[in-house]
Amino acid sequence: MLGSEQIEGNDMRRFVALALLPLLIGAAPPAKPKTPSEIIATAPRSDWREIAADDLLVFDFAGNRRVVMQLAPAFAPVHVANIRTLARGGWWDGAKIYRVQDNYVVQWGNNDSGKPPPKGVVAKPPAEYSRRLAGLAITPLGSPDAYAPAAGFAGGWPVAFDRRGGTANLAHCYAMVGVGRDLLPDTGTGGELYAVIGHAPRHLDRNIALVGRIVSGFEAMSSLPRGTEALGFYKDRSSDVPIVRARLAADLPAVERPRFEYLGGLSFGAYRHARANRRDDFFIRPAGGVDLCNVGVPVRAMPKP
Amino acid sequence: MLGSEQIEGNDMRRFVALALLPLLIGAAPPAKPKTPSEIIATAPRSDWREIAADDLLVFDFAGNRRVVMQLAPAFAPVHVANIRTLARGGWWDGAKIYRVQDNYVVQWGNNDSGKPPPKGVVAKPPAEYSRRLAGLAITPLGSPDAYAPAAGFAGGWPVAFDRRGGTANLAHCYAMVGVGRDLLPDTGTGGELYAVIGHAPRHLDRNIALVGRIVSGFEAMSSLPRGTEALGFYKDRSSDVPIVRARLAADLPAVERPRFEYLGGLSFGAYRHARANRRDDFFIRPAGGVDLCNVGVPVRAMPKP
């Protein structure tokens, strides 16, 4: 997946060069820069990158509600391999959402059910809380970050990084998914997952394995009733929300397979810039900056084949 | 309200001085610093500041659900005066929640009902989007901010500020409440309000009047079904959530009056520091920084008289 992203750093430089071009040749800059939605609407086909079917995990809930998660193998390969094995072994068929903590997380899995994990699941994956910076093509955020020396985007993911230490990590933005764990050295298998439903709890960055994000249907999770027990656990197990099944998109028949793509390339650079400098008619003072988790990488459904 | 906060700047310096004291006199620092919850649990009575009854607006919804909003007269005095007049004139009795946009806002009021505002409401308040920095005692955040030269807390509120320009503004953190408006010069009367239910949309800072925050019962708003129309408006007016009434706490009989207090003084300084350096057993890498909207000023209910 990252191979196709290697051009992003160059794209960013090309984007800046193109943006400066009118000044260099003395032409007037365009009267009205595009808004974020206009950039999405007019982005060329080539700036949209399809997400691999093996990186899409489809959860079906009670009430015909569907949530699609994108996996992040470039950041947590062992946990992601576990999650694929868990899905193929039916781990989430009959699992539950059992925790909803306001302004924090929704959590689901088999918790205290005693269900054994399928064969092939690595019981103690390594602490995939950060990775080497080398190999990632970063589009810089261009604004300061409270949690790391620098922040930006790599392969469509929000990342924080440290050039000196040579490390990078996924960030706990809204709708990002992580692996529930107990105290270390346990890192969690991936059997219990949580998704962020409030302001980014970035203090969890580099302390827990992030493995993906919800790219579709998240409202079905974020609007669930909050649990009233400590940490948002539901008081009665009858409040738990049943999960009917989870399947990798790659394992569904082609005609049923959901497809998604995210915005990259020059268009994403322009989008990030426009999000930091809102100039729609509503705005009188563009911020001139933007938080890593308030850019929102555009992801959209593609027509089925 | 701000008068009682004037000591906070000095408190912060005292806090830093006290924290350094063990190093200066060669004593070992305490083995385990307090966690955020331990700081709340052990804060002295004198560090809790009661919120004035005139600054608490109580919304009662269908289904016996109650949401309490704290007003911010130090930041938007004309809008807050309007909101008190609107409440006393019965503006929200029979109003509706008509918009719920995921990862953005819940909005309520009388929208397109044609209900006239009560007498005394200023139709075009000034643009109270920021205020003079002078007169605010700031506890600095101690971390960089993507949207302003600096950030911190004043009188229990999250603020961004610019020492050079001499201005400060409330920040669009989770549960903060702002005034819906159309295009300028309209700033909104305060009759249509919205509250943040997702990652802080800080690009709205200094573009709209923030007038307070929800301090109790917010789950009843944040977990509402998301609207399916553009911008999260409900498709059918039958989906609107009825508001039974809104009253200022000051106008309720003393025995029914909810009371709240927030954490200030030395304890809040310690709390902010602990939130930036989580050392509970769960954490292996404290961030050493924290986002303005991820500190969360502690607010709690007080016993009724």
Side-chain angles (χ1 to χ4, degrees), chain B residues 46-123:
Chain B
S46 56
D47 279 348
W48 291 97
R49 284 95 203 258
E50 182 166 1
I51 298 168
D54 207 34
D55 287 347
L56 291 173
L57 182 53
V58 180
F59 288 95
D60 289 316
F61 291 84
N64 273 325
R65 293 198 287 189
R66 171 167 283 196
V67 165
V68 183
M69 173 181 168
Q70 177 187 5
L71 301 170
F75 290 87
V78 180
H79 285 89
V80 166
N82 262 6
I83 289 169
R84 292 195 186 109
T85 304
L86 287 159
R88 291 186 166 126
W91 172 255
W92 284 287
D93 304 359
K96 314 269 188 184
I97 298 177
Y98 50 80
R99 176 189 181 194
V100 185
Q101 184 172 359
D102 196 53
N103 193 19
Y104 203 49
V105 299
V106 167
Q107 189 166 324
W108 66 97
N110 284 295
N111 201 13
D112 53 5
S113 77
K115 179 170 177 170
K119 217 178 133 180
V121 170
V122 177

Side-chain angles (χ1 to χ4, degrees), chain A residues 238-282:
Chain A
S238 62
S239 304
D240 290 356
V241 180
I243 300 174
V244 179
R245 71 182 75 80
R247 295 287 181 271
L248 286 163
D251 294 342
L252 293 172
V255 290
E256 291 175 25
R257 198 176 291 167
R259 298 171 68 202
F260 289 89
E261 58 190 357
Y262 69 91
L263 190 63
L266 278 180
S267 299
F268 178 69
Y271 184 83
R272 184 212 60 76
H273 183 79
R275 287 285 296 175
N277 300 278
R278 299 292 292 269
R279 295 184 186 281
D280 326 29
D281 289 340
F282 186 84

Side-chain angles (χ1 to χ4, degrees), chain B residues 23-47:
Chain B
L23 303 175
L24 294 174
I25 61 175
K32 199 162 182 182
K34 285 183 186 170
T35 65
S37 1
E38 286 165 353
I39 291 166
I40 290 179
T42 60
R45 198 49 258 132
S46 56
D47 279 348

Side-chain angles (χ1 to χ4, degrees), chain B residues 173-265:
Chain B
C173 298
Y174 193 82
M176 289 289 287
V177 177
V179 173
R181 67 162 170 89
D182 293 323
L183 296 185
L184 287 178
D186 175 22
T187 67
T189 59
E192 310 301 307
L193 297 173
Y194 66 88
V196 173
I197 57 164
H199 190 77
R202 297 274 314 276
H203 52 287
L204 297 173
D205 288 6
R206 307 191 307 144
N207 283 282
I208 202 160
L210 283 168
V211 290
R213 66 178 157 201
I214 306 298
V215 293
S216 175
F218 194 47
E219 307 79 24
M221 287 182 151
S222 59
S223 65
L224 286 172
R226 278 44 178 159
T228 53
E229 296 296 280
L231 305 177
F233 284 86
Y234 283 136
K235 186 169 183 179
D236 301 305
R237 301 309 303 246
S238 62
S239 304
D240 290 356
V241 180
I243 300 174
V244 178
R245 71 181 74 80
R247 297 286 181 270
L248 286 164
D251 294 342
L252 293 172
V255 291
E256 291 175 26
R257 199 176 288 167
R259 298 171 69 202
F260 289 89
E261 57 190 358
Y262 70 92
L263 190 62

Side-chain angles (χ1 to χ4, degrees), chain A:
Chain A
M1 190 180 72
L2 285 168
S4 65
E5 286 311 301
Q6 295 294 342
I7 56 163
E8 283 211 333
N10 290 329
D11 279 0
M12 192 60 202
R13 284 188 285 276
R14 261 167 47 210
F15 167 69
V16 170
L18 286 170
L20 291 175
L21 201 56
L23 302 175
L24 294 174
I25 61 174
K32 201 163 179 180
K34 283 183 187 170
T35 64
S37 358
E38 286 165 352
I39 291 166
I40 291 178
T42 59
R45 198 50 255 134
S46 56
D47 279 348
W48 290 97
R49 283 96 202 258
E50 181 166 2
I51 298 169
D54 208 33
D55 287 346
L56 290 173
L57 183 53
V58 180
F59 288 95
D60 289 315
F61 292 84
N64 273 326
R65 293 198 289 189
R66 172 167 281 196
V67 165
V68 183
M69 174 181 167
Q70 177 187 5
L71 301 170
F75 291 86
V78 181
H79 285 89
V80 166
N82 263 5
I83 289 170
R84 293 195 186 108
T85 304
L86 286 159
R88 291 185 165 127
W91 171 255
W92 284 288
D93 304 1
K96 314 268 188 183
I97 298 177
Y98 50 80
R99 177 189 181 195
V100 186
Q101 185 172 358
D102 196 53
N103 193 20
Y104 204 49
V105 299
V106 167
Q107 189 167 324
W108 66 98
N110 284 296
N111 200 11
D112 53 5
S113 77
K115 179 170 177 171
K119 215 178 136 182
V121 169
V122 177
K124 302 272 182 201
E128 299 175 313
Y129 304 159
S130 61
R131 57 155 282 164
R132 286 192 318 128
L133 179 59
L136 292 181
I138 305 258
T139 300
L141 175 64
S143 293
D145 186 74
Y147 295 88
F153 300 87
W157 296 99
V159 295
F161 59 96
D162 176 358
R163 288 210 186 276
R164 189 182 304 219
T167 57
N169 60 272
L170 291 176
H172 272 84
C173 298
Y174 193 83
M176 289 290 287
V177 176
V179 172
R181 66 161 169 90
D182 293 323
L183 296 185
L184 288 177
D186 175 21
T187 67
T189 59
E192 311 301 307
L193 297 173
Y194 65 87
V196 173
I197 58 164
H199 190 78
R202 297 274 313 275
H203 52 286
L204 296 173
D205 288 5
R206 306 192 307 144
N207 282 282
I208 201 160
L210 284 168
V211 289
R213 66 178 157 202
I214 306 297
V215 294
S216 174
F218 195 45
E219 307 78 23
M221 287 183 151
S222 61
S223 65
L224 286 172
R226 279 42 178 159
T228 53
E229 296 296 279
L231 304 178
F233 284 87
Y234 283 136
K235 187 169 183 181
D236 302 305
R237 300 310 302 248
S238 62
S239 304
D240 290 356
V241 180
I243 300 174
V244 179
R245 71 182 75 80
R247 295 287 181 271
L248 286 163
D251 294 342
L252 293 172
V255 290
E256 291 175 25
R257 198 176 291 167
R259 298 171 68 202
F260 289 89
E261 58 190 357
Y262 69 91
L263 190 63
L266 278 180
S267 299
F268 178 69
Y271 184 83
R272 184 212 60 76
H273 183 79
R275 287 285 296 175
N277 300 278
R278 299 292 292 269
R279 295 184 186 281
D280 326 29
D281 289 340
F282 186 84
F283 289 89
I284 50 169
R285 289 170 176 149
V290 64
D291 180 77
L292 177 63
C293 293
N294 198 20
V295 173
V297 178
V299 178
R300 67 181 186 189
M302 298 170 71
K304 283 176 191 150

